[in-house]
Amino acid sequence: MPGQEEFLYGGECYPEQWNEEIFRKDLKWMKEAHMNIATVGVFCWSLIQRDENSYDFSFLDRALEILEKEGFFVCLATPTAAPPLWMTRKYPEILAVDANGHRRTPGGRANFCPNSEKYRQFAANIAEKLAERYKSYKPLILWHVNNEYANYCYCEVCERKFREWLKKKYGSLEELNRSWYTQFWGQTIYDWEEITVPTARNLLLFRKDRFQSINPAIYQDYRRFMNESLLECFELEYQALKKHTPHVPITTNLMATFKPLDYFLWARKMDVISWDSYPDYTEDYAKVSLRCALMRGAADGKPVLLMEQSPSQAIWKWYNHQKSESALRLHTFQTIAHGADGALYFQIRQSRGGCERFHGAVITHANSNETRVFRAVKRVGQDLSRLEPEILGTRVHSRTAVLFDWNSWWALEDSPGPNIDFTYLQEVEKYYRALLRMNTGVDILSVEQDFSKYRAIFAPALFMLNEKTARKIREYVEAGGVFVATTMSGIVDENNLAWLGGYLASLNDVFGVRIEEFDAFPPDEERKMTFMGKSYVVKLLESLIKVEGASVLGTYVDGIYANQPCVTVNGYGSGTAYYIASCASQEFCNDFVRYVIEQHGIETVCDGPSDGLEIVKRRSEDGRTYLFVMNFSKERKEICLKEGRWRDILSGQLFSEKLVLDAEDVLVLERIDQ
């Protein structure tokens, strides 16, 4: 938050579920755990608005009064994720229709149609009522709109609004038919009323683990439309809140690598980027790190807020493992390292009933401040208090970046071919992981953001490539940048139409290659490739390259492309462009990334790669340097920093070039010899 002087540490409270005595006790224990903020109001719409014209804010008034007396900051939520039962019963058109054509019935949450005028009217109204009532409430430092927007809808209202959206985008049926390539299978559209939403009744097929469309362009546009429809719901509430509280920043909690919504677009409309992190206990640190970096990327490097994490376990996964104290500490510090200025929990007190009654909480059903979980939460609070004077106001410093593109994600996976097991996120994770272990610092970028401050940019499976992005890549390389594209990049344009004349479109001269075709094979088959004299496994997919000026760094060993090039490099202008033609193993990605880092002299913070470790560099405006050094492995690690003398802020211990970090431990180092 603007002018923030301490880390925000707290979580979601539900005073409506408990009597005042218990609520006061919770706040006392929260203070003991060094907490300073409470989120309230997330699911209280039915309590505040009991019918169309009646409002009762008494329970919320009292809760906010108590929070102010106890000295807490408040994040006040609009309760619009769960419309009251009376509302959806009286106006069933508020409820969403699923991809099979079935309308939801009253009950639950995130069940509304984002294009329902009634829903939008009620949601904006309750947001304005809250803002008008609490506009002078001093502890209010953040508005939290809705909760985890997620719900696509396929109803008749969405169909009508979709047609309007298409008219605005394409202007004419001639342009729409051209862009959608409707001459295929005789699908030419002669009247706007002929356009239907893509559902399982017409254009969507459920294949293996997801819907895919037999008309990729329509489904791509429907995703864009739904993304914008939900964002419009957020904006309506945003404007209602700003009308009365222009000074209070507004957020909604995002969910990182959540496929249905393009968060780079959402971030432009939000004052603060906040997000929820619920890693599975089988997921390693690199996947979680990618999500942290993605949310920081959405914020364009500005501070973010971890709105939700569990202090112990989740409840919706198949196997809900308890976090150890060290795991909680590592996960929290990982988000702080990546630019978060606060970490909140869902939830403070464990509910007695409902589907999340066993979801982890700071205060469990044991009703005690002496539990294992409470002690772990308290320790994190103590550590964050020690960091505040040093870390607040610093920014992450990175020399490399990975492009992340929701449109490529949708386009690659939402239509048949070439390999259903080849997934966008898997490719992004491989190259991000390889960069992470080299400790260059790595950001996540959208195709719209500034490329110029990075020495090297990696673009895994940038499937959808428009002319604007192609120009940016060309200019970046020409000016001296290092750009890496991987298989299935530059295959289609923004309308999902295949590029002609060889894939990679207008960038063939930049990369010095032309991609003629690709081959796919099932997960139990393998091919082999070589790179710099070493052999590597290829899975799922490989492409055939025609070299047009590039130098060959690697070739296929077997398969129909045996002895053909699979890794190339090309000088263009003052820069360098690499192309990787196969879905290569993590081992290859690791070695290739190391090669690029060393070949181009890209700065790293320690000698050689590190597995099981994450090191994030942060810098202040006045030049102070900090390193978050996190050991996610089960064994002690020795780390050789390249230069400097360092002090651990948490313990005061001094280090020079070499340090030893215990298993599942964290150091936050300040450089003291600058």
Side-chain angles (χ1 to χ4, degrees), residues 473-481 506-512 569-577:
I473 294 170
R474 177 183 295 276
E475 291 166 2
Y476 170 76
V477 176
E478 193 169 30
S506 59
L507 293 175
N508 296 137
D509 60 327
V510 176
F511 288 89
V569 60
N570 190 55
Y572 183 81
S574 301
T576 309

Side-chain angles (χ1 to χ4, degrees), residues 12 14 39 41-43 77-82 109-112 119 144-151 230 234 237 251-255 261 263 266 274-276 278 307-308 346 356:
E12 291 187 21
Y14 294 91
T39 299
V42 180
F43 294 114
T78 66
T80 50
R109 54 179 269 197
N111 59 354
F112 59 88
Y119 171 77
H144 174 357
V145 171
N146 204 280
N147 185 71
E148 296 181 337
Y149 281 103
N151 40 306
L230 282 160
F234 170 80
E237 293 192 48
T251 190
T252 186
N253 48 336
L254 310 180
M255 294 177 285
L261 300 181
Y263 287 147
W266 280 68
S274 68
W275 68 291
D276 300 347
Y278 291 102
M307 183 63 77
E308 289 186 24
F346 176 79
E356 291 184 316

Side-chain angles (χ1 to χ4, degrees), residues 83-92 95 103-109 111:
L85 294 176
W86 66 261
M87 187 183 296
T88 51
R89 186 166 176 243
K90 185 173 183 180
Y91 301 103
L95 294 163
R103 188 176 293 278
R104 295 282 298 271
T105 55
R109 54 179 269 197
N111 59 354

Side-chain angles (χ1 to χ4, degrees), residues 138-305:
K138 292 180 180 178
L140 177 61
I141 64 167
L142 183 66
W143 284 109
H144 174 357
V145 171
N146 204 280
N147 185 71
E148 296 181 337
Y149 281 103
N151 40 306
Y152 280 18
C153 178
Y154 303 84
C155 72
E156 63 281 359
V157 174
C158 290
E159 188 168 79
R160 175 170 53 81
K161 292 288 186 72
F162 183 46
R163 291 170 185 151
E164 294 170 5
W165 185 89
L166 293 170
K167 286 179 185 178
K168 184 176 180 181
K169 178 176 181 179
Y170 292 108
S172 68
L173 285 173
E174 289 75 19
E175 180 61 20
L176 179 140
N177 279 307
R178 185 197 67 79
S179 299
W180 281 8
Y181 206 71
T182 55
Q183 61 267 44
F184 182 79
W185 281 2
Q187 299 295 299
T188 302
I189 295 167
Y190 294 102
D191 190 302
W192 292 102
E193 295 301 309
E194 294 171 5
I195 298 171
T196 61
V197 298
T199 70
R201 294 173 297 172
N202 51 29
L203 300 176
L204 299 185
L205 305 173
F206 194 81
R207 302 183 71 232
K208 195 165 188 176
D209 61 354
R210 60 185 178 271
F211 280 114
Q212 293 187 319
S213 177
I214 58 175
N215 191 320
I218 294 179
Y219 197 29
Q220 186 87 12
D221 269 344
Y222 200 70
R223 281 200 181 274
R224 291 164 173 159
F225 166 70
M226 269 293 130
N227 183 57
E228 292 180 22
S229 297
L230 282 160
L231 183 53
E232 285 174 3
C233 290
F234 170 80
E235 289 183 271
L236 284 169
E237 293 192 48
Y238 181 100
Q239 295 302 329
L241 296 171
K242 284 294 183 183
K243 180 179 177 181
H244 299 282
T245 56
H247 59 291
V248 180
I250 301 173
T251 190
T252 186
N253 48 336
L254 310 180
M255 294 177 285
T257 50
F258 179 65
K259 186 177 179 181
L261 300 181
D262 180 350
Y263 287 147
F264 284 115
L265 185 61
W266 280 68
R268 299 174 201 166
K269 309 291 185 178
M270 298 167 62
D271 296 333
V272 175
I273 303 303
S274 68
W275 68 291
D276 300 347
S277 180
Y278 291 102
D280 191 89
Y281 81 100
T282 60
E283 288 181 325
D284 70 359
Y285 71 100
K287 288 188 175 186
V288 184
S289 175
L290 187 151
R291 295 173 198 147
C292 293
L294 177 59
M295 292 293 91
R296 186 180 74 249
D300 203 19
K302 295 187 290 292
V304 302
L305 176 65

Side-chain angles (χ1 to χ4, degrees), residues 401-543:
V402 172
L403 289 186
F404 195 100
D405 182 48
W406 260 273
N407 274 284
S408 288
W409 193 358
W410 296 338
L412 177 64
E413 297 184 8
D414 287 353
S415 60
N419 190 325
I420 198 166
D421 291 310
F422 180 84
T423 62
Y424 179 74
L425 199 53
Q426 179 185 59
E427 286 301 291
V428 172
E429 285 174 351
K430 284 193 304 188
Y431 289 92
Y432 180 87
R433 182 188 304 276
L435 284 163
L436 195 65
R437 69 193 292 271
M438 290 302 300
N439 301 301
T440 62
V442 53
D443 286 347
I444 301 290
L445 296 180
S446 78
V447 295
E448 300 290 336
Q449 289 173 306
D450 181 19
F451 291 2
S452 63
K453 62 181 178 179
Y454 299 99
R455 186 70 185 91
I457 296 176
F458 290 70
L462 187 61
F463 187 76
M464 181 167 279
L465 181 67
N466 62 28
E467 292 181 357
K468 179 182 176 182
T469 302
R471 281 196 303 272
K472 280 188 72 173
I473 294 170
R474 177 183 295 276
E475 291 166 2
Y476 170 76
V477 176
E478 193 169 30
V482 177
F483 196 90
V484 179
T486 79
T487 189
M488 301 310 292
S489 291
I491 306 299
V492 299
D493 69 6
E494 66 272 22
N495 296 313
N496 243 320
L497 299 176
W499 283 106
L500 303 180
Y503 302 125
L504 278 181
S506 59
L507 293 175
N508 296 137
D509 60 327
V510 176
F511 288 89
V513 298
R514 192 176 301 274
I515 293 82
E516 292 188 348
E517 64 182 39
F518 37 78
D519 185 29
F521 38 95
D524 57 351
E525 291 186 20
E526 293 182 353
R527 305 281 190 271
K528 290 289 180 69
M529 61 179 280
T530 62
F531 169 69
M532 304 304 291
K534 184 177 175 181
S535 179
Y536 300 91
V537 169
V538 173
K539 303 278 283 187
L540 302 176
L541 201 67
E542 55 189 19
S543 303

